[in-house]
Amino acid sequence: MRLFGRAVLATALLFSATGAAADPLAPTGRWSAYERAAARTPPMGWNSWNAFTSDIDEEKVMASARILVDAGLAAKGYRYVNIDDGWWLKRRKSDGRMLVRAERFPSAATPNGDTSFRPLTDRLHAMGLKAGIYSDIGRNSCGQVFTSTFPNQPEGDIDEREVGLHGHVDQDIRLYFEEWGFDLIKVDGCGVRGLGPADPRVKAGLYRALGPLVDADSLGRTDVATTRGLYEAVGQALDRSNPDGDFVYSLCLWGAADVRAWGKNVGAMSRTSEDISPTWSRMLHNLDSVSRRPLYAHPGSWNDPDMLYVGKGDFDERHLIEARSHFALWAMVNAPLIIGYDLRTAAPALLDVLGAKQIIAVNQDPAGNQAVLAFDSADVSIWVKTLADGDKAVAILNRTAAPAEAVLTADHLKFLPTAEVELADLWTGEASRFQGEQKLQLAPHQTLVYRAHGARKLADGLFLSEQPGRVNPAVDGVVTPQADPLIHRAILPWRGTRGLGEPPRYGGWGGAQADRTPYDQELAVAGQRFDTGLGVLANSRLEVRNAGFQRFTAKVGIDDSAIGGGQAVTFLIYGDGKLMGQSRPMKFGEAPQALDVEIGGVKLIELVARASKPTPVPQPVTWGEAALRR
Ligand code: GLA
C-alpha cells in the first residue's frame, strides 16, 4: 500500500466544480477551523479508561458522576461523564443495532432486549451533567485489537463483534445521539490500524481485514486522506443527528496519520500522542506532543494530549508536586481536563488539585489561547498564555529530578523590562514583583504557575503570536508530513527498553509556529532577529480573526534558516477576501520589508506567503512582529 502521494495531492489542490484545480492560497474570507456550539473552552469531565480500563459498570460510572457533583467539581466545570471501552455487548445480527452489556449496565435492559442507555443519560442530565460514549472508526475496537485480555470484550460471531462505526456511521450516530441522548463521542482508530490482511487473527478468521490505513510508525505507509475522510464522514453524521449543535466530537488518532495538522478542521478535540501512563516521563511526552502546536488549537477545537492521570502512580497523593505540575501544564496548553481516576478513592488533597479554581480559570479563559513556549530545554521549559484581559499566565516547569534555577524575564511575557511586573502564584495566592528579570528556584518536577500583570511591550495592539486562538494556519505549506523530533522521548511502558526506543513519529514538523520558525529556530531575516512573530513555510495561508483593530503591521521576509538561493516569495494581506496590501517579491538574504496595512472594519484577515514557483522543500518565511494595532 503506497497511498500517501494521494493524501499530499488532496491537501495541496482543491478541485472546483468545473474540474479546474483551485488555488489553495486564494483568500476565502472565511474562518475554516472546526467550531460548533459546544467546546468553546476545553471540555472538562471524567472518563472511565484511566480509572478502570474496560472493567466498567453502571455503579462505577454513576458513583463517579455523583462525586463530581458532591465534591463541587461539576460546579467548577467538570460536566462530561464519558464511558470508554467496555460498554458494548455486540451488534445485533438482524438489524445491526448496537447492544449495551446490560449485565454491567442494568438500567440499559429493556423488556424487548433492545437495550438503551437513555435511562443512564437521563440521570446524568438530571444531575446537570453531560454524557459521553466511545466507538471506533474501524469495524473493531481497541480492546479487540490491543488488549483482548481485558474484560468486557464484544461477544458473538465475527459480524456481531464488529462494534465500530465502519459501515454503520449514520445508524450508530443516530442511536447514540438522537435515541440515547449522548453529548460527546470519542472515536478511536484501532480498527483501521491493527487488522490488516497479514494479522494472524484476520488470517485465522476471527476478524475481517480493514486497511490498515494507519501505520503509527510510518507516515509514508499511512493513507492520510482516506483516514481523514472517514473521520470527516462521522463529523457530518454528527451534524445531521444534532440539529442544536450541542455535541463534542473527540478524535482519538494518537498523533498518527498527520492528525496534528488536520484534527483542528474535523473535531472539537484531537489526540496528539499515544496513551498517557501515570509516569513522569510519559506525561512529558504527551505534553510535548502539543507544546509546539498552539496555532493548531482554537475555541471549538483543541489539542488533546490525553486524559489526566492525577491520582495515580507518579501523580498520586504522595507526589503532589508532580500532580500539580501535570494539572497546571494541561491547563496551560488548553488540554481538555478529563479526570481519569477512581474518584471513589480520591484523597482530599487530590480533589484540591483537580478543583484548583485559579488553574481551571487559566484553562477555561475565554480567549482560548494555548500557551506558547517562551523558553525550552530538556531541563526547564517556560510557557506563556495570553488571557482575555491581557494578563499572562506563565508556567515554569522543572523537567528534571534535581532542583533547578530558572530566570523569568519581562521579555518572556512580552512586557516592558523597564516597568514592574506583578506576579500572583496561582497555587498559593502569594504576590510578588520584579523588574527586568526574576530568579526562581524550582523543586524537582515542580511547575511554578503565575498570573502576571505588566506593561505590554505593544501598548496599542496585540502581537499575533500572543493570540494563537485567533490565528489558523489554513494552509501551513507543509508538502510532505514529517515526524516532529522535539518531543520528550520516554520509555514506552508496554515495551520497556526492548528495541531501539521510540523514534519521532507524530507528523507536524515544519508546521506554523508562534515566535519560532517551522523548524524551531529563532525568527530572523537578513540577520535581524525577532523574538516575536509567526514562522511558517512559503505557500501558506493564515487566517486571522480581527477584533476591531485598524491596522496590521509586520516585518516580513524569507527566514535566515532557509537554505539560500530559493524562489522569491510575495507576502499578501487580504481583508474579508480582498487584497489590502502586499510586499515586493522577496529573496533569501534581503532585509525585512515593513508592511502597514489598513484593516479597519475587516472581520477576517488572511496572510498569504506565495512563492514564485512551488518547490518540494518550501522555504521558511517570517512574519516578524506581526500585530493587530489600534
Ligand atoms: C485507545 C485509546 C485510549 C482508550 C483505549 C480503550 O488506546 O487511546 O484512550 O480509549 O483505546 O481501549
Side-chain angles (χ1 to χ4, degrees):
M1 187 195 62
R2 186 65 182 79
L3 295 161
F4 187 63
R6 236 202 274 159
V8 170
L9 198 68
T11 42
L13 297 172
L14 300 170
F15 288 88
S16 70
T18 58
D23 172 9
L25 302 185
T28 66
R30 215 171 44 81
W31 178 258
S32 63
Y34 184 92
E35 47 177 358
R36 298 293 183 275
R40 302 290 308 160
T41 58
M44 296 173 65
W46 176 89
N47 174 294
S48 52
W49 179 255
N50 286 353
F52 304 117
T53 71
S54 51
D55 191 8
I56 49 172
D57 60 37
E58 187 159 348
E59 200 281 318
K60 287 174 176 165
V61 171
M62 288 310 297
S64 307
R66 271 191 299 276
I67 295 167
L68 285 183
V69 174
D70 295 348
L73 292 171
K76 289 175 175 165
Y78 293 95
R79 288 191 307 154
Y80 286 90
V81 173
N82 300 339
I83 301 172
D84 208 278
D85 204 348
W87 65 265
W88 28 42
L89 181 65
K90 61 169 76 157
R91 188 178 289 286
R92 188 159 67 192
K93 250 183 149 44
S94 56
D95 58 356
R97 183 185 169 95
M98 281 295 301
L99 299 179
V100 180
R101 187 177 290 272
E103 178 203 316
R104 289 289 186 124
F105 291 91
S107 77
T110 59
N112 62 5
D114 273 354
T115 74
S116 171
F117 261 138
R118 192 76 202 202
L120 187 137
T121 63
D122 279 349
R123 264 185 297 155
L124 290 173
H125 289 147
M127 293 162 77
L129 299 169
K130 302 245 178 199
I133 195 163
Y134 170 84
S135 192
D136 197 280
I137 200 75
R139 293 193 194 102
N140 294 99
S141 67
C142 284
Q144 289 171 316
V145 179
F146 293 116
T147 49
S148 58
T149 57
F150 289 17
N152 300 324
Q153 300 300 330
E155 291 176 7
D157 67 18
I158 191 166
D159 299 334
E160 290 169 312
R161 283 184 285 108
E162 291 186 348
V163 295
L165 294 170
H166 198 76
H168 297 273
V169 171
D170 271 308
Q171 179 182 24
D172 288 0
I173 295 297
R174 226 180 298 124
L175 178 66
Y176 303 159
F177 286 82
E178 286 178 19
E179 200 175 321
W180 290 351
F182 280 99
D183 311 293
L184 174 150
I185 187 166
K186 169 175 166 186
V187 181
D188 227 316
C190 297
V192 294
R193 169 175 174 183
L195 290 176
D199 186 273
R201 293 163 296 187
V202 171
K203 283 187 166 162
L206 282 171
Y207 298 108
R208 277 201 282 169
L210 180 56
L213 303 173
V214 173
D215 182 337
D217 294 314
S218 166
L219 279 161
R221 283 173 49 79
T222 294
D223 184 346
V224 175
T226 303
T227 306
R228 177 176 174 164
L230 293 179
Y231 275 92
E232 283 172 346
V234 173
Q236 286 150 15
L238 282 163
D239 285 334
R240 282 194 293 274
S241 288
N242 289 275
D244 65 353
D246 183 12
F247 64 92
V248 171
Y249 183 17
S250 163
L251 275 57
C252 183
L253 258 181
W254 344 273
D258 202 33
V259 71
R260 297 199 317 154
W262 55 262
K264 68 177 175 65
N265 296 329
V266 178
M269 52 194 269
S270 175
R271 281 275 300 277
T272 50
S273 65
E274 284 285 357
D275 290 9
I276 191 170
S277 336
T279 66
W280 179 254
S281 198
R282 285 309 289 184
M283 186 279 287
L284 292 181
H285 173 89
N286 283 49
L287 171 70
D288 283 346
S289 73
V290 305
S291 288
R292 289 177 173 75
R293 309 301 285 174
L295 293 171
Y296 293 78
H298 315 95
S301 185
W302 308 103
N303 289 318
D304 177 10
D306 204 3
M307 299 167 284
L308 294 164
Y309 246 132
V310 171
K312 274 210 176 170
D314 288 354
F315 312 103
D316 69 8
E317 68 259 46
R318 288 167 302 135
H319 299 93
L320 288 175
I321 288 185
E322 286 80 0
R324 287 194 195 103
S325 282
H326 176 13
F327 188 63
L329 292 164
W330 258 234
M332 286 290 291
V333 297
N334 288 354
L337 298 179
I338 309 291
I339 300 169
Y341 182 47
D342 183 355
L343 288 169
R344 299 173 306 178
T345 62
L350 288 170
L351 293 177
D352 288 348
V353 172
L354 294 166
K357 269 193 168 163
Q358 301 298 326
I359 307 288
I360 293 172
V362 166
N363 179 259
Q364 297 291 305
D365 182 78
N369 295 315
Q370 181 179 319
V372 172
L373 268 177
F375 172 83
D376 193 38
S377 71
D379 303 320
V380 168
S381 303
I382 302 177
W383 281 267
V384 177
K385 180 184 201 300
T386 304
L387 303 171
D389 65 3
D391 279 1
K392 307 281 179 164
V394 52
I396 304 106
L397 160 68
N398 178 5
R399 294 171 177 261
T400 76
E405 185 175 273
V407 178
L408 175 67
T409 69
D411 281 336
H412 287 142
L413 301 163
K414 304 198 195 297
F415 287 160
L416 286 177
T418 46
E420 284 226 311
V421 177
E422 293 166 34
L423 294 179
D425 184 312
L426 292 184
W427 288 109
T428 65
E430 205 181 308
S432 58
R433 291 158 177 272
F434 75 91
Q435 198 178 317
E437 57 179 55
Q438 173 72 51
K439 268 195 192 144
L440 298 165
Q441 306 303 326
L442 295 150
H445 294 171
Q446 189 180 20
T447 303
L448 292 168
V449 202
Y450 302 99
R451 178 182 265 266
H453 182 77
R456 299 166 51 79
K457 261 194 199 167
L458 189 70
D460 70 340
L462 299 171
F463 288 122
L464 291 185
S465 64
E466 296 179 289
Q467 299 288 323
R470 54 170 80 244
V471 180
N472 175 35
V475 180
D476 66 9
V478 173
V479 175
T480 306
Q482 294 178 64
D484 181 341
L486 290 179
I487 291 169
H488 178 87
R489 298 193 307 149
I491 294 174
L492 263 177
W494 51 90
R495 211 180 282 162
T497 57
R498 295 173 198 92
L500 293 174
E502 204 177 16
R505 61 209 306 252
Y506 310 130
W509 189 227
Q513 294 243 47
D515 295 341
R516 291 154 186 265
T517 74
Y519 301 112
D520 221 58
Q521 311 279 331
E522 191 176 350
L523 298 168
V525 177
Q528 187 176 332
R529 291 171 181 278
F530 298 104
D531 62 4
T532 297
L534 300 176
V536 65
L537 295 177
N539 286 326
S540 54
R541 180 170 60 83
L542 307 171
E543 296 163 355
V544 180
R545 278 181 157 151
N546 191 11
F549 290 94
Q550 302 303 317
R551 287 159 52 218
F552 167 80
T553 59
K555 294 173 186 156
V556 299
I558 295 185
D559 194 87
D560 289 355
S561 61
I563 296 159
Q567 304 293 322
V569 172
T570 305
F571 296 77
L572 305 112
I573 295 108
Y574 297 88
D576 293 333
K578 291 192 204 73
L579 186 65
M580 313 293 268
Q582 71 182 85
S583 74
R584 61 176 188 274
M586 301 194 58
K587 287 212 129 190
F588 179 82
E590 277 183 46
Q593 183 179 341
L595 298 174
D596 188 336
V597 178
E598 296 285 330
I599 43 97
V602 159
K603 288 205 179 65
L604 192 89
I605 303 162
E606 286 166 272
L607 305 178
V608 172
R610 189 187 280 278
S612 45
K613 273 193 235 138
T615 46
V617 184
Q619 307 178 89
V621 301
T622 288
W623 296 84
E625 293 166 11
L628 298 173
R629 316 287 284 267
R630 297 219 164 77

